[in-house]
Amino acid sequence: MRILVLGGTRFLGHTVAAEAVRRGHEVVCAARGTAGEVPAGARLVKVDRDREDGLAALAGERFDAVVDVATISYEWVRRALDAFGDQVGHWTFVSSISAYANPGLPSTGVGDPLLPPKAVHGTREAMREDPDLYGSVKVASEHAVTAAVGAKALIVRAGLITGPGDEFDRFGYWPQRLVRGGRVLIPDVDHEIQYIDVRDLAAWVVDAAEQGTTGIFDGIGPATPLPALLTAIADTLGANVEFVRVGEEELLERGIAPWAGPRSLPLWLPESHKYMGARDAGPALAAGLTPRSLADAIAGALDHERNLGIDRERKAGLTLEDEAEVVAALRA
């Protein structure tokens, strides 16, 4: 097959392109080329998706399948559909579970209410100010995909993606912290959490292009109670740890945030998003998404952490100093 990956220089797009090359497909990556290299064996075509004519460098090219991992812009998605929607036999759009309107309520499946669509070009700054903007742009983009290519579309509402290339430090925080041992601060919560290794999600996306899998799926692994997941990670690593469990209210009072950002405990979901980590993975698993073992996922995340530098400034998590300060205050 001849596959166009809109992206291909970082994380999921790069991993999809690499998997497709590994299987012998001809892969073209369309990107600015500033975020990194495309995988060996793929061809980079430099484009600027911010421009109305930004895909002109691909004029005359034909593809059997397209994979679009566009993150922040409806216009990027629309322009790609205008250029290639009529010709391809399969179109994958990677959306997000952030598209759902009510993450604080139990899920009934992909038919759950979505956020209102916003057909805009977002910025990361704007999305920090309006946490729902990312999901709303994804909803508008999904609508554009289904309107343009209909039954040829696979829409993957991805959840937390981890593994090699992860740029957000959330899942990876825990293996690197637990392997150090000692007293480890964790949230005393009862909610579930889910993740999917980028290599498994990429393999499924390429499978779908090869097999013609279409429809809308939550692209995520099975749900696990967060304390059980942290215990399983520690056990898998053989880590000598003592969990210091602290309730949500006290964590917030001590200036510790849920999910991500400075001075946070990753994978802890606030009450408003309590069920974001409890989506139904069953349909995607039945359609071929195959999560690797926890041990393999941990190994990939920990290797990536070590490559980046364990003691770097993180996008999510606590420094050892911040953690020790809170644990000492609790003991006092």
Side-chain angles (χ1 to χ4, degrees):
M1 295 179 67
R2 197 159 193 265
I3 300 176
L4 172 64
V5 178
L6 291 159
T9 59
R10 61 200 301 181
F11 204 26
L12 178 58
H14 186 278
T15 311
V16 168
E19 178 65 17
V21 168
R22 187 188 68 80
R23 298 189 192 187
H25 298 298
E26 182 182 352
V27 179
V28 175
C29 297
R32 286 189 178 92
T34 58
E37 302 292 331
V38 300
R43 176 166 68 93
L44 172 65
V45 175
K46 292 190 176 184
V47 301
D48 183 354
R49 298 183 74 181
D50 286 336
R51 296 172 55 90
E52 188 66 38
D53 63 348
L55 298 176
L58 291 165
E61 303 252 17
R62 299 193 66 81
F63 303 97
D64 300 300
V66 169
V67 178
D68 191 358
V69 297
T71 53
I72 61 173
S73 178
Y74 164 83
E75 290 299 329
W76 290 1
V77 176
R78 177 189 62 77
R79 290 167 190 153
L81 290 163
D82 289 347
F84 302 108
D86 290 341
Q87 62 166 273
V88 300
H90 191 271
W91 192 288
T92 297
F93 175 65
V94 180
S95 185
S96 171
I97 60 171
S98 295
Y100 292 110
N102 301 311
L105 299 177
S107 166
T108 60
V110 296
D112 286 348
L114 302 176
L115 291 167
K118 293 185 179 179
V120 300
H121 175 82
T123 65
R124 299 195 185 280
E125 291 73 20
M127 289 177 182
R128 280 192 287 269
E129 295 172 5
D130 178 3
D132 287 341
L133 180 58
Y134 174 74
S136 289
V137 170
K138 287 291 193 182
V139 173
S141 300
E142 287 187 17
H143 291 177
V145 170
T146 53
V149 299
K152 298 187 292 184
L154 171 69
I155 292 176
V156 180
R157 292 179 183 149
L160 176 67
I161 308 174
T162 187
D166 182 7
E167 301 172 347
F168 300 104
D169 295 342
R170 291 171 297 209
F171 183 92
Y173 170 80
W174 291 108
Q176 65 82 27
R177 175 60 192 93
L178 293 171
V179 80
R180 294 181 186 232
R183 294 168 63 85
V184 179
L185 188 68
I186 68 169
D188 189 7
V189 295
D190 62 0
H191 70 69
E192 296 181 303
I193 198 67
Q194 295 164 288
Y195 67 91
I196 189 69
D197 189 284
V198 66
R199 295 162 292 182
D200 301 329
L201 186 58
W204 185 51
V205 166
V206 179
D207 286 345
E210 293 174 340
Q211 300 166 12
T213 303
T214 57
I216 301 174
F217 297 89
D218 289 331
I220 195 64
T224 306
L226 178 55
L229 176 61
L230 299 182
T231 298
I233 293 173
D235 290 346
T236 300
L237 292 168
N240 183 17
V241 299
E242 176 189 349
F243 287 139
V244 179
R245 300 174 184 267
V246 181
E248 297 177 87
E249 186 174 338
E250 185 161 8
L251 288 171
L252 293 170
E253 288 176 355
R254 294 185 181 279
I256 299 176
W259 191 244
R263 201 174 165 85
S264 66
L265 282 177
L267 310 192
W268 163 32
L269 293 168
E271 192 68 24
S272 61
H273 288 66
K274 182 175 181 178
Y275 292 96
M276 191 174 77
R279 306 293 311 173
D280 182 7
L285 301 180
L289 177 60
T290 306
R292 66 192 54 228
S293 69
L294 177 62
D296 281 351
I298 292 170
L302 197 52
D303 283 348
H304 181 57
E305 287 285 327
R306 288 166 173 160
N307 288 336
L308 292 177
I310 294 293
D311 294 316
R312 71 189 185 280
E313 184 175 343
R314 303 181 57 85
K315 296 179 181 177
L318 295 175
T319 65
L320 291 178
E321 293 76 16
D322 283 343
E323 182 184 38
E325 173 191 318
V326 173
V327 169
L330 290 168
R331 295 182 71 182

